[in-house]
Amino acid sequence: MSETGAGSAGGLKQTAALQIDVEQLGPRTRSFRGVPAVIISLIAIAASLFHLYTAQFGLFFALTQRDIHWMFMSVLIFLLYPATKDAARNRLPWYDVIMIVLALTGGLYILIDMENIVARAGAPTRADVILGLIMVLLVLEAARRTIGWALPVVAVAALAYAYFGRYMPGLLAHKGYSLQRIFPYQFLTTEGIYGVPLGVSATFVYLFILFGSFLEKTGAGKFFIDLAFALTGSSQGGPAKAAVVSSGLMGSVSGSSVANVVTTGSFTIPLMKKVGYEPYFAGAVEAASSTGGQIMPPVMGAAAFIMAEVLGVAYIKVAAAAAIPAILYYISLFAQVHFRAGRLGLRGLTRDQLPGLKETISRGWHLLVPLAALIVVLVRGYSPMKAVFWTIVLTVGLSFLKRETRMTPRRFVAALEDGARSAVEVAAACACAGIVVGVVTMTGLGLKLAGLIVTWSQGLLALALPLTMLASILLGMALPTTAKYVVLSTLAAPALVRLGVPPMAAHMFILYFGVVADITPPVALAAYAGAGVAGANAMKTGWAAVQIGLAAFIVPFMFAYSPSLVLIGSAGEIILASLTATVGVISLAAGIQGWILTRTRLWERVVCLGAALLLIRPGLVTDLVGLVGLSAVLVRQFAATRSAAGREVRAREDAVTSE
């Protein structure tokens, strides 16, 4: 975004300074040169070509497809991710070579002996047990290296529960399973490692990540940022609004909170600071905006694809159900930064600091076409795999319309490689989460925990929802969104459904609170990334992000009680609920920031917050009460504004008279 001059340059400098901070948020990969680097690139490219091939010409048998996918991913993990942070990053130790050989041995064992494995189902051999144990250990180690200790610890606890079930108390007790049952079940069926989570990773998720990689290579990220600044940069608090818009656009493709913060924040945060926003608030705005990408259609995060599989519905139905709550979330963010700018007296950037709207659209309009085409194809009922395959083809074809976006052979190969590298962490999380799901399926733990939640909440939804929210946030702090959703969809969602929440609303409730964990201290990765870019206190940035993203903590309760906001109900109910909820989230922003047309008094803030809760919850009575309260505040605000304007005019007249 060269047109932003010094502001953009400052953003680029900030990006360089950010590297140390971001590296502390997650694992760092090895860096090879020469032949090893070429081998890694070839493996990554082969993985992407395999997934493109199966997308167009048909999937293999489920176990085969997932097995090949995991062979690619596990080899890349042990090549790229060192065992410890202190390990050498330019050479491959002997034990990683052994792990790669073992991972390939386990994968090839399934491919070569598939017919016999199917024939002897339920009667495992010694080789099945030994290789099952090895593969489980490899999955645990792969997950530990890529996403940390939390999920592997949960998986080990699940395996221990399967073995020691006879010693568990009360409802949690079961007969217990031998190692000869546990490990073949995890290894040779589609209920464990190769279960639904990895199946989704091996199909939809990989391809959508690859699509994001191709978009990135065409310069779509820069175009989204330029477009956001051209649209909003000159308005009150313009850079913050541009952060909301650009992060929403980027997030709708990538679905990665931290990646969005680093990508768009390197431009938006320095410019927010330049116009007068506090550093911690600038980082919080970017973190909250980027986190919303995981709930913003059309792509959302990987968890949305798993949700579609779990619910047995088309992905487009999940995306459609997520649309209204996601739009409400971003309206709330937009309103918050607007009111904050009003309270601080901030203006936008001048026109000469911004890219021209016509010039920006002329330069990059063709980069929006693939997103629109993806939505159209999904709505017309095509499978997500076919849809994203042809969207990738369209992206490559349209890139040749402009010289600067042209997909050269170098960019094409880089997109294939980057797509594979970006997919490994999701694959590791899905494989490890599959272990947990396998234990839940084997032992019936899901139904037991659903019964416990119903018992603890005394059958009251008002108690069950906060319990589920806390579990979602706590697990979300430690686990990636995908893994957290997989675990809670099998453990907590059935309880909400038993208490009368529609399945779509129950699963969306869990997804939301897993996503907002990225901005919820003490483990708020997106907020900490934003703090790193802004040079602000990490914890202060995290709590500010919670404040800014508060709508995401409230809206799920509303669609759990009355699911009109997730498109369950008549057209009239959905439209009315959407309109009143829109007013509600704006009222919420006003109450939080203490500004509408002028500074609000304490009672006005209280009324705005109360009206927000009443308006967001669908219902005629609550809507009317909320509108009456908000109207009273607006009348006072208009009167105060007119009075202030009158005093200003009189002051100017007095000044002229005195002269």
Side-chain angles (χ1 to χ4, degrees), residues 185-211:
Y185 185 83
Q186 291 286 346
F187 173 46
L188 298 176
T189 73
T190 54
E191 301 294 337
I193 294 171
Y194 300 110
V196 169
L198 193 65
V200 173
S201 173
T203 51
F204 312 133
V205 172
Y206 189 103
L207 288 166
F208 275 89
I209 290 174
L210 190 59
F211 170 51

Side-chain angles (χ1 to χ4, degrees), residues 46-353:
S48 293
L49 292 175
F50 165 76
H51 288 86
L52 288 171
Y53 174 85
T54 55
Q56 174 59 16
F57 297 104
L59 298 173
F60 292 101
F61 176 64
L63 187 58
T64 303
Q65 177 80 19
R66 298 168 191 182
D67 181 45
I68 297 173
H69 170 73
W70 180 242
M71 277 198 292
F72 276 121
M73 297 295 97
S74 59
V75 168
L76 286 173
I77 288 169
F78 293 121
L79 283 172
L80 293 172
Y81 291 82
T84 64
K85 290 183 178 181
D86 298 328
R89 301 189 180 278
N90 57 359
R91 62 183 179 84
L92 192 67
W94 61 268
Y95 51 82
D96 279 348
V97 175
I98 292 175
M99 289 185 181
I100 291 170
V101 171
L102 290 174
L104 290 174
T105 301
L108 292 173
Y109 180 79
I110 291 176
L111 293 180
I112 294 171
D113 203 34
M114 178 66 72
E115 291 185 7
N116 291 328
I117 290 172
V118 173
R120 65 172 181 268
T125 65
R126 178 175 295 182
D128 295 342
V129 177
I130 294 173
L131 280 174
L133 171 61
I134 291 172
M135 290 298 287
V136 166
L137 292 175
L138 289 174
V139 167
L140 293 173
E141 173 61 8
R144 185 195 67 80
R145 292 190 185 194
T146 53
I147 61 175
W149 279 99
L151 184 55
V153 168
V154 173
V156 169
L159 292 169
Y161 172 74
Y163 185 75
F164 294 107
R166 65 176 66 88
Y167 303 110
M168 300 301 292
L171 283 175
L172 295 178
H174 62 88
K175 65 180 182 179
Y177 292 89
S178 66
L179 300 181
Q180 288 74 18
R181 286 284 307 278
I182 294 172
F183 292 116
Y185 185 83
Q186 291 286 346
F187 173 46
L188 298 176
T189 73
T190 54
E191 301 294 337
I193 294 171
Y194 300 110
V196 169
L198 193 65
V200 173
S201 173
T203 51
F204 312 133
V205 172
Y206 189 103
L207 288 166
F208 275 89
I209 290 174
L210 190 59
F211 170 51
S213 180
F214 272 95
L215 266 185
E216 180 189 352
K217 295 304 178 187
T218 62
K222 180 180 182 301
F223 167 68
F224 289 158
I225 294 171
D226 283 358
L227 180 62
F229 272 95
L231 289 170
T232 64
S234 62
S235 63
Q236 178 176 295
K241 294 175 181 176
V244 173
V245 174
S246 61
S247 296
L249 288 170
M250 287 288 290
S252 68
V253 177
S254 73
S256 172
S257 303
V258 175
N260 286 353
V261 172
V262 175
T263 303
T264 60
S266 60
F267 291 99
T268 59
I269 289 175
L271 291 173
M272 280 189 270
K273 292 166 63 178
K274 180 179 179 180
V275 299
Y277 283 107
E278 306 95 325
Y280 77 89
F281 187 82
V285 168
E286 183 58 50
S289 303
S290 295
T291 297
Q294 293 185 74
I295 54 174
M296 173 59 79
V299 177
M300 304 172 67
F305 295 95
I306 299 176
M307 185 189 300
E309 289 292 305
V310 171
L311 293 175
V313 300
Y315 169 73
I316 189 62
K317 290 189 176 181
V318 174
I324 294 175
I327 292 170
L328 291 174
Y329 178 74
Y330 276 100
I331 289 174
S332 174
L333 296 183
F334 204 85
Q336 291 232 29
V337 298
H338 178 78
F339 292 143
R340 181 81 166 203
R343 198 178 84 184
L344 298 177
L346 305 182
R347 301 299 176 209
L349 298 171
T350 59
R351 283 293 179 186
D352 61 342
Q353 294 177 299

